[in-house]
Amino acid sequence: MARALSAHARTALAVACALAAVTTSAAPAALAAPAPVAAAASCPAPGGGGPGAPDAAALRAALAALPDAGTTDALVRVGGGGGLWHGSAGVHDLRTNTPADPNARFRAGSVTKVFTAAVVLQLAAQGRVRLDAPVRGYLPSLIPARYGGVTVRELLNHTSGIPAADAPGSTVEEAYAHRFDRFTPQGMVAQATGEEPEFAPGTAQHYLNINYTVLGLLVEHVTGRPYASEVTRRILRPLHLDRTYFPGTGTGIRGPHNHGYQAFPAPGGTTELRDVTVWGQTEGYAAGDLISSTADLETFMDALFRGQVVPRPQLAEMFTLPGPSVLTYGSGAPAAYSAGLSEIDLGGRAVWGKSGSRYGYTTVIGATCDLSRTLVASVGATDAKGDDLNATEEELMVAAFGAPSA
């Protein structure tokens, strides 16, 4: 088994992973002038020394008991200067119990945001978007005057103050009943911006999908092409990410994939698992609808951190957190999100990455910024949208990088 974590460490790990866009309400923050952006974190160029070989015993132990009540399968790739480790466990589906396909596609959830941020930063490098410009200047018919001060950078790092759009159901049962509903990004933005701001732009951080929904529409406006087409043209095709695509209005997963399952309340205080593989993703859009594989995400992360996707001057935005006066809306915790990524200290090192979840699937990508250690994992979490971090995902992160500070 992986090392047991303290309650504080578990909380830190769970917060940093951000498995889903949190939409809980909180008391409004006081309006104030925007805080300055912090200096970019120090990030050595890839290729230097680093940790030794991956802890294969700990990684195998994290997978040994699968499938279990919380996880039906896991697909794992650990890399870096110390060597590679690939593993998989669990089942393809609970009907046949055939072994999980290690090359399967899966729903990557909010890892989509890393791709969206990369395209926006490419456009900034080309001079087609200014990060400090109000987004209303690009989308005047979509963004109302009350959000006229929100900049592109504030969308990227979740400091815009725009509240969440209404979710399709507040419980898993309600969400399941609406799993084939269709949403448009324009409709979600109109609904969200019809509400009062949560806080003045740049004064707090609230991780919400709506920020990246707006960014997807910004990409479409600036390029004149659909969001998915532009990400495919700029990232998927050049990197040969052949197992990665955007489903649009499709509700299934094309090609080989393991089934996703979600725990639902059942009579007598028990739970039952339902197959949730087929589920509409239109509400995810540029914030969460990506389908990918562990090999593709590993290739993407490696190229991104090496400056092969986003030029290094703009890549610095992905390793830059808001200034120390910017705190998390509602909790008051330090801001944890940059443009597309988040940061946590594991094993005494800064790890940058992103996680995401859709019902039945949880994904995490993470690396030291010098790429001396990397992790990509897809976990068939049966409570992927729950408040607690999936136990298998937690064990894999600790096995790959080490435990967070107690």
Side-chain angles (χ1 to χ4, degrees):
M1 295 293 290
R3 286 164 285 178
L5 302 185
S6 68
H8 174 79
R10 287 179 61 88
T11 300
L13 192 56
V15 168
C17 283
L19 297 180
V22 179
T23 57
T24 52
S25 60
L31 300 185
V37 175
S42 175
C43 190
D55 188 342
L59 291 163
R60 285 194 298 267
L63 303 182
L66 301 185
D68 61 21
T71 303
T72 56
D73 74 278
L75 318 177
V76 186
R77 300 174 75 92
V78 178
L84 307 176
W85 189 92
H86 298 167
S88 63
V91 297
H92 168 269
D93 67 90
L94 295 178
R95 183 181 61 84
T96 66
N97 285 320
T98 55
D101 181 350
N103 300 312
R105 288 171 169 164
F106 49 81
R107 301 195 189 280
S110 287
V111 172
T112 309
K113 294 182 177 71
V114 190
F115 289 76
T116 304
V119 170
V120 172
L121 293 173
Q122 285 182 356
L123 292 170
Q126 294 168 352
R128 301 173 70 181
V129 167
R130 285 179 45 231
L131 299 183
D132 59 356
V135 71
R136 189 168 189 257
Y138 300 100
L139 302 170
S141 63
L142 184 69
I143 305 299
R146 62 158 59 100
Y147 292 103
V150 173
T151 67
V152 175
R153 179 179 284 111
E154 289 161 348
L155 292 170
L156 284 165
N157 66 16
H158 300 280
T159 60
S160 70
I162 301 175
D166 287 340
S170 59
T171 68
V172 64
E173 288 281 8
E174 292 173 350
Y176 185 77
H178 292 277
R179 66 193 183 280
F180 298 130
D181 289 1
R182 291 190 179 183
F183 302 85
T184 67
Q186 295 85 353
M188 291 187 289
V189 172
Q191 189 274 319
T193 57
E195 305 295 330
E196 291 297 317
E198 292 183 328
F199 47 83
T203 64
Q205 186 174 77
H206 193 179
Y207 176 82
L208 291 172
N209 282 351
I210 193 64
N211 295 299
Y212 278 69
T213 303
V214 177
L215 288 171
L217 292 170
L218 172 66
V219 168
E220 294 192 354
H221 173 78
V222 172
T223 66
R225 284 181 283 267
Y227 163 80
S229 298
E230 193 65 8
V231 179
T232 300
R233 186 179 76 86
R234 288 174 171 266
I235 298 177
L236 307 191
R237 195 171 296 131
L239 294 181
H240 304 289
L241 306 183
D242 299 329
R243 294 191 181 101
T244 302
Y245 74 99
F246 296 90
T249 58
T251 58
I253 300 176
R254 297 200 307 256
H257 60 276
N258 300 315
H259 287 231
Y261 294 86
Q262 173 68 32
F264 284 78
T270 62
T271 60
E272 64 178 10
L273 293 181
R274 296 184 198 171
D275 190 324
V276 293
T277 308
V278 178
W279 195 300
Q281 303 295 315
T282 54
E283 53 86 21
Y285 181 55
D289 73 345
L290 189 77
I291 290 172
S292 192
S293 71
T294 53
D296 274 10
L297 292 181
E298 185 178 60
T299 297
F300 168 66
M301 183 169 60
D302 183 86
L304 179 69
F305 280 44
R306 290 182 185 278
Q308 297 169 356
V309 177
V310 175
R312 287 211 169 270
Q314 288 72 35
L315 183 62
E317 296 283 340
M318 302 189 88
F319 299 101
T320 302
L321 298 176
S325 64
V326 177
L327 303 178
T328 299
Y329 180 65
S331 73
Y337 296 96
S338 63
L341 300 176
S342 62
E343 186 270 342
I344 184 175
D345 289 334
L346 294 173
R349 295 167 291 171
V351 176
W352 291 86
K354 190 70 186 75
S355 63
S357 63
R358 298 274 97 184
Y359 286 112
Y361 300 91
T362 292
T363 304
V364 62
I365 65 172
T368 54
C369 58
D370 63 357
L371 292 174
S372 60
R373 175 56 47 79
T374 66
L375 168 68
V376 176
S378 168
V379 174
T382 61
D383 192 15
K385 290 288 190 178
D387 294 332
D388 296 327
L389 186 63
N390 175 271
T392 300
E393 184 178 23
E394 176 187 303
E395 291 186 22
L396 289 169
M397 292 181 67
V398 171
F401 295 108
S405 300

